[in-house]
Amino acid sequence: MKKILSVLLLVAFTFAFTSPATAADSANGAKIFTANCTACHLGGRNVVAAAKTLKQDALDKNNMNSLEAIITQVHNGKNAMPAFKSRLNDQQIEDVATYVLEQAAKDWS
């Protein structure tokens, strides 16, 4: 009985104090953003469509202020933005989206 209780406590502890494997990783998102997005979006700007920056007010105005919206945009592309679904996997795209939202909240500073 003690052994079963010990195993259950270990499992509970593991789930309580570790993050799931699919949790977004903003630090990884920063690296991916630097490698794939800065040519057009350095500092949250947009060199192709100046009004559609990655700044919080522009994200809000263009309904791009959620993880899901940014993931969809990065995955599928739109207008001048290419799709990244063949270059980045789903986890990498989620990491980039998380990074973008975090930076927008900090005004890219």
Side-chain angles (χ1 to χ4, degrees), residues 25 28-30 32-33 37 70 74 88 91-101:
D25 181 347
N28 188 48
I32 295 165
F33 186 91
C37 311
I70 295 171
V74 174
L88 302 174
Q91 185 63 54
Q92 291 171 315
I93 292 172
E94 183 176 347
D95 292 350
V96 167
T98 299
Y99 172 75
V100 167
L101 287 174

Side-chain angles (χ1 to χ4, degrees), residues 47-59:
V47 299
V48 177
K52 293 188 176 182
T53 70
L54 301 179
K55 304 281 185 163
Q56 191 66 56
D57 60 337
L59 294 177

Side-chain angles (χ1 to χ4, degrees), residues 20-42:
T22 59
D25 181 347
S26 180
N28 188 48
K31 292 176 190 172
I32 295 165
F33 186 91
T34 299
N36 294 278
C37 311
T38 55
C40 294
H41 295 291
L42 182 63

Side-chain angles (χ1 to χ4, degrees), residues 10-23:
L10 179 62
V11 169
F13 180 82
T14 301
F15 282 110
F17 295 103
T18 59
S19 60
T22 59

